[in-house]
Amino acid sequence: FLQARAGIISTVEVLKVMEAFVNEPNYTVWSDLSCNLGILSTLLSHTDFYEEIQVFIKDVFSPIGERLGWDPKPGEGHLDALLRGLVLGKLGKAGHKATLEEARRRFKDHVEGKHILSADLRSPV
């Protein structure tokens, strides 16, 4: 990504490499992808390409989001909880419809006292 920012390689090439990480389970890798896509999204925020980068973000983050789900699974570690929050937050910011709907539902349940949000989900919700 730094090479693309420096103009050494094409941003398109970087995005192609990012797609290869779709099955990556490591929080640190996703954190870096999220940060770099956030920078790119900001740079494109007032251009004709903004919607396209949001679609790209949803496409890249959706598989890991579906795999992680909203609720912890037995045997998960703290990095899985961090990854869940990161991924759900990124999907929400990108306008992923199912993520936004579930976040709204969970927020409503929290406000009504039906179900307290776990600390890991408060930021993305």
Side-chain angles (χ1 to χ4, degrees):
F1 191 78
L2 289 175
Q3 288 184 346
R5 288 176 68 185
I8 298 170
I9 63 172
S10 164
T11 303
V12 172
E13 294 302 314
V14 174
L15 295 175
K16 287 178 184 177
V17 171
M18 285 183 172
E19 288 178 319
F21 289 98
V22 75
N23 293 314
E24 175 62 49
N26 187 287
Y27 168 77
T28 306
V29 172
W30 283 104
S31 178
D32 188 60
L33 290 174
S34 176
C35 179
N36 286 315
L37 283 170
I39 292 167
L40 188 55
S41 183
T42 300
L43 290 172
L44 296 174
S45 64
H46 299 290
T47 71
D48 294 339
F49 299 106
Y50 182 73
E51 289 304 317
E52 291 180 49
I53 195 65
Q54 299 313 306
V55 169
F56 179 82
I57 290 169
K58 288 183 274 192
D59 288 347
V60 170
F61 279 76
S62 289
I64 187 76
E66 290 172 15
R67 212 166 34 251
L68 290 168
W70 281 83
D71 299 307
K73 295 167 185 62
E76 280 187 347
H78 72 284
L79 290 177
D80 294 313
L82 290 173
L83 180 56
R84 179 176 291 107
L86 174 82
V87 169
L88 293 175
K90 197 68 171 179
L91 284 168
K93 286 177 186 174
H96 186 257
K97 187 176 178 181
T99 301
L100 293 173
E101 289 172 357
E102 182 64 15
R104 283 187 194 105
R105 185 190 69 76
R106 287 178 183 255
F107 180 75
K108 183 177 182 252
D109 287 351
H110 178 76
V111 169
E112 294 174 353
K114 294 178 184 175
H115 190 270
I116 302 300
L117 276 173
S118 68
D120 298 333
L121 293 179
R122 287 182 187 160
S123 179
V125 168

